[in-house]
Amino acid sequence: MTSDEKIKQAEKLLKKANKLTKLSFTRWSADWSAATPLYEQAALEFKLSKVVDKAKEAYERAAAGQERLSSPWQAAKHFEAAGALAKELDQWDEVADFFKRAFELYTECGKPQPAADALARGARALEDAKPEVALQMYIDSFSTLEDDGREQMAFDTYRAAMGLNLKLERYIDAATVLLRWGLAADKCKAIQSQCKAYLSAIIVYLYAHDFVQAEQCYNDCSEVGAFLSSEHSACAEKLLRACREGDIVELKHIVESNGVIPHLDHMIVRLARQIPTHDVTAFTSSEEQGEKHLDEDDLT
């Protein structure tokens, strides 16, 4: 069968399915049990023939049919397929809607892992076109896994959310994701990942020229014994000391020679190599800022 013949066959299947679901004087109720397999066949034929718009339409209708037949798992699969095809058509609102609907249906099935994965896939599809929507979908994805005690399965999603925040130059949000990743790693005893996440957060704060927050982050993370006794903590302490002393040469030396930094995410390594982004002498510790504030207010 030629490609044109396959397309004609798919169109016949789609037309027949639509007729079965359209109400009329002679049809008082839609026959979804008969129509749904036809939509599925049409969707596959259109997809193989690269008729993307018709394939998306057929998958959407097939998903609706599976919902009406009380098959949320299969409906979710079809919505994901429709979402992927909507991406090819640059129909970004539909991409978000389809993947979110897939998430809802997987959740209805009691399957948090596929539900979270659907959101993450949708977020990846939307990163360039709708980054704000993508970020929220990433957050909802790893939140779903956290709520189900599956933090270890969310590591790739934490990384993706961090990376997108960095691309958008939302450094505080990126650090927040890293700290949340560190907490998740702590819960599943992934000590190496936890230490990497905490050091990465400190580096992000330093890159954003927020020394006070970097130092506070280090102090907070040091309350975790596994981090305090790690090479990552020692590296963070050296970086902070070099910044505090305004020693650019030492700061660059630490970044280039320390053994743990090259093993961080490549985006974090890139940031570390660019520190300081401003005049390093402007770095001031929280204690120094506090002393300066007291001196200015001292009228005696």
Side-chain angles (χ1 to χ4, degrees), residues 52-286:
V52 180
D53 57 338
K54 291 288 186 69
K56 186 208 71 172
E57 177 190 348
Y59 272 120
E60 185 179 4
R61 296 290 289 171
Q66 290 292 357
E67 280 193 86
R68 286 167 172 79
L69 296 174
S70 301
S71 298
W73 175 272
Q74 200 58 49
K77 288 287 187 183
H78 291 332
F79 273 123
E80 283 202 79
L85 292 167
K87 178 181 183 295
E88 293 186 37
L89 296 167
D90 295 341
Q91 296 174 347
W92 305 113
D93 288 337
E94 287 197 346
V95 172
D97 290 343
F98 288 148
F99 279 102
K100 287 178 182 179
R101 185 60 188 139
F103 163 77
E104 293 170 354
L105 289 165
Y106 284 130
T107 301
E108 184 181 320
C109 294
K111 301 293 184 181
Q113 181 71 58
D117 289 346
L119 282 180
R121 281 190 285 271
R124 281 193 293 274
L126 290 165
E127 278 197 8
D128 294 329
K130 285 184 170 290
E132 296 293 337
V133 176
L135 278 172
Q136 188 57 55
M137 290 174 76
Y138 278 136
I139 292 170
D140 292 341
S141 176
F142 59 65
S143 296
T144 297
L145 294 172
E146 289 171 351
D147 291 343
D148 198 57
R150 297 171 181 248
E151 287 88 355
Q152 192 164 7
M153 305 304 294
F155 283 15
D156 287 342
T157 309
Y158 290 122
R159 182 180 294 107
M162 172 207 71
L164 182 53
N165 273 309
L166 291 178
K167 287 179 184 178
L168 297 173
E169 299 183 353
R170 297 172 65 164
Y171 302 113
I172 303 305
D173 290 339
T176 299
V177 170
L178 283 162
L179 293 173
R180 191 161 172 175
W181 186 357
L183 180 60
D186 181 55
K187 290 182 179 179
C188 54
K189 310 301 180 186
I191 295 174
Q192 190 75 358
S193 294
Q194 179 183 24
C195 293
K196 285 182 177 180
Y198 287 161
L199 173 58
S200 296
I202 293 166
I203 288 173
V204 170
Y205 283 129
L206 289 176
Y207 179 83
H209 205 67
D210 192 341
F211 181 77
V212 174
Q213 192 60 50
E215 194 170 52
Q216 183 62 55
C217 181
Y218 173 75
N219 292 336
D220 291 342
C221 293
S222 294
E223 295 181 10
V224 179
F227 177 73
L228 182 61
S229 60
S230 70
E231 293 179 296
H232 302 78
S233 174
C235 176
E237 185 179 15
K238 290 177 183 178
L239 289 171
L240 290 167
R241 185 187 306 118
C243 289
R244 190 181 300 113
E245 295 173 355
D247 192 337
I248 297 178
V249 174
E250 177 62 14
L251 187 57
K252 294 294 185 183
H253 174 71
I254 294 166
V255 171
E256 293 301 325
S257 64
N258 191 276
V260 298
I261 290 179
H263 297 287
L264 302 178
D265 184 88
H266 69 95
M267 295 188 75
I268 300 298
V269 174
R270 191 179 302 126
L271 295 187
R273 288 174 178 164
Q274 296 178 59
I275 297 171
T277 53
H278 296 73
D279 180 6
V280 74
T281 59
F283 277 126
T284 309
S285 71
S286 55

